[in-house]
Amino acid sequence: MSESRFTPRVFSGIKPSGGLTLGNYLGAIKRFVQTQDAGTHETIYCVVDLHAITVWQDPAELKSATREVAAGFIASGVDPERSVLFNQSQVSQHAELAWIFNCVARVGWMDRMTQFKEKAGKNAEKQSLGLYAYPSLMAADILLYHATHVPVGEDQKQHVELTRDIAAKFNHDYKVDFFPMAEPVIEGPAMRVMNLRDGTKKMSKSGESDMERINMTDDADTIAKKLQKARTDAAPLPETLEGLDGRPEARNLVDIYAALADIPPAEVLARYPGAGWGTFKPALAELAVEKLAPISREMARLMDDPAEIDRLLARGAERAREIAAPVLRETYEIVGLLRG
Ligand code: TYM
């Protein structure tokens, strides 16, 4: 299948379940802004509230978290004029296409999803059916816009690959060349930002202790304190990247520095040859505060006017529907669902 007939288009999303972390910023939002600014692709960014409710969300907190993620996007540089920015539930086509994909995807495919296995643990039977079917809704998010590229962190790679499987099976079953093979875009030093207390675990919104993550709403003192207290080994920084092998916490702090400064990790080591943590941690904290404090200040300012955020999201949803509605209509036609 030729991919060239599809307009180069980027789609990505973030769940409003709890606040945004440094992992979301470096692994996703910062790259969304770079892609938008490069101007090579149409960019569509979504606050995926329907994904959030696959686990329980307090209704009032869900609304507030949805606005906060939108504010995080905008404060980081996503421009609601140049990109399409909206929340998923305002565009009902996502849920409609997800149903069709529920009938395309196979149970065995879902059974292989590592994120479901990790989240469900031994309690799979007690999880919502939505959590299990989640990757099929994610495929719908992407394919509803015929997106060709999906910038995500490493943890979402398997879901984007499943999206390709769904597109391929749909095209094959209905003998069409309708959905593109969307490509995951996973690049840069921050594809997997790790937990500050345990370098073998991902930094996540839902980890037990607030000390293990940096939130985009943290103030300068808190950011500095968390980085000061980040776990490390006793050895100083090595001269080469190989010297970070087997030192996950040290590697993580170097990668975070690299991503914040927009330089390769090897250059971080060249800047701080053989430095001890007493030197490197304050330098990292200063850089993190310099980059994040203006964003968190702008987020707070935007959150003071929720009506304006709601207006921007509603306008974004209108623009999203203009792309989504014809794709869904044609999907229904292909599948044989009668429309008057
Ligand atoms: P979510 O909300 O968990 O995370 C949003 C984005 O942030 C990235 N990310 C990280 N990157 C590096 N290091 C980390 N520690 C880290 N934590 C999170 C994620 O990889 C992701 O890119 N299912 C998705 C949301 C989604 C979506 C989509 C994404 C729904 N539909 C369609 C792309 C396209 C999710 O739960 O991401």
Side-chain angles (χ1 to χ4, degrees):
M1 167 168 122
S2 100
E3 296 184 22
S4 55
R5 78 182 181 83
F6 294 101
T7 314
R9 191 178 275 155
V10 161
F11 180 96
S12 201
I14 296 191
K15 279 193 311 271
S17 47
L20 291 167
T21 67
L22 183 66
N24 297 132
Y25 177 64
L26 294 176
I29 303 180
K30 185 168 191 278
R31 299 166 56 226
F32 298 170
V33 176
Q34 287 166 340
T35 309
Q36 165 196 277
D37 291 349
T40 49
H41 293 67
E42 269 183 52
T43 43
I44 306 177
Y45 298 127
C46 187
V47 187
V48 287
D49 46 7
L50 295 175
H51 277 90
I53 59 167
T54 54
V55 298
W56 169 254
Q57 303 293 333
D58 173 83
E61 280 171 24
L62 177 60
K63 281 192 180 173
S64 156
T66 300
R67 294 187 183 112
E68 187 179 308
V69 173
F73 276 118
I74 298 169
S76 304
V78 170
D79 174 352
E81 291 300 318
R82 282 188 292 155
S83 293
V84 176
L85 176 64
F86 68 107
N87 61 310
Q88 185 185 28
S89 60
Q90 293 207 59
V91 180
S92 61
Q93 284 86 353
H94 287 250
E96 293 180 71
L97 187 60
W99 179 255
I100 307 239
F101 287 169
N102 281 343
C103 303
V104 173
R106 306 288 96 180
V107 168
W109 299 1
M110 297 297 163
D111 284 340
R112 284 198 290 276
M113 294 296 112
T114 50
Q115 196 163 71
F116 178 77
K117 286 192 239 175
E118 274 167 20
K119 282 196 180 172
K122 292 199 173 64
N123 256 332
E125 292 190 5
K126 298 249 161 55
Q127 303 302 322
S128 74
L129 186 54
L131 187 67
Y132 185 65
Y134 174 120
S136 155
L137 176 60
M138 181 158 158
D141 299 338
I142 295 166
L143 295 173
L144 190 54
Y145 301 93
H146 279 182
T148 54
H149 297 87
V150 186
V152 281
E154 177 68 34
D155 60 326
Q156 295 299 320
K157 185 170 179 211
Q158 195 185 31
H159 293 158
V160 185
E161 283 165 355
L162 184 93
T163 300
R164 294 163 65 88
D165 292 341
I166 290 177
K169 183 162 165 54
F170 182 97
N171 288 347
H172 176 267
D173 289 354
Y174 291 103
K175 300 184 177 52
V176 290
D177 176 16
F178 186 60
F179 287 117
M181 291 297 130
E183 276 186 42
V185 185
I186 301 171
E187 54 194 19
M191 292 304 85
R192 198 169 168 78
V193 176
M194 307 310 272
N195 177 321
L196 297 178
R197 310 299 286 178
D198 177 351
T200 62
K201 289 195 195 136
K202 189 184 78 163
M203 182 184 288
S204 86
K205 301 165 196 173
S206 50
E208 288 150 34
S209 154
D210 199 51
M211 289 302 284
E212 64 187 48
R213 64 181 160 264
I214 291 179
N215 305 301
M216 283 181 73
T217 46
D218 283 346
D219 60 27
D221 287 350
T222 309
I223 294 173
K225 188 174 90 200
K226 287 179 177 175
L227 287 170
Q228 269 310 335
K229 296 215 157 156
R231 189 176 144 188
T232 50
D233 49 34
L237 284 182
E239 306 273 324
T240 62
L241 282 181
E242 292 73 61
L244 290 171
D245 289 351
R247 299 177 62 190
E249 284 88 9
R251 173 83 217 204
N252 188 40
L253 295 186
V254 169
D255 283 345
I256 291 175
Y257 190 108
L260 285 168
D262 272 321
I263 57 175
E267 205 178 314
V268 179
L269 299 182
R271 275 192 201 180
Y272 296 95
W277 297 110
T279 307
F280 186 69
K281 278 183 171 177
L284 175 60
E286 195 183 326
L287 176 67
V289 168
E290 176 197 323
K291 300 285 178 182
L292 297 179
I295 298 177
S296 84
R297 264 199 306 277
E298 179 62 6
M299 278 176 77
R301 195 190 65 77
L302 291 162
M303 290 293 284
D304 269 348
D305 189 356
E308 174 62 6
I309 297 180
D310 295 0
R311 193 192 64 75
L312 288 170
L313 289 175
R315 168 75 193 118
E318 243 173 70
R319 290 171 64 201
R321 275 193 296 269
E322 281 167 24
I323 307 173
V327 173
L328 186 73
R329 206 176 307 120
E330 203 172 333
T331 308
Y332 276 19
E333 183 59 36
I334 291 169
V335 173
L337 298 168
L338 193 70
R339 296 234 137 165

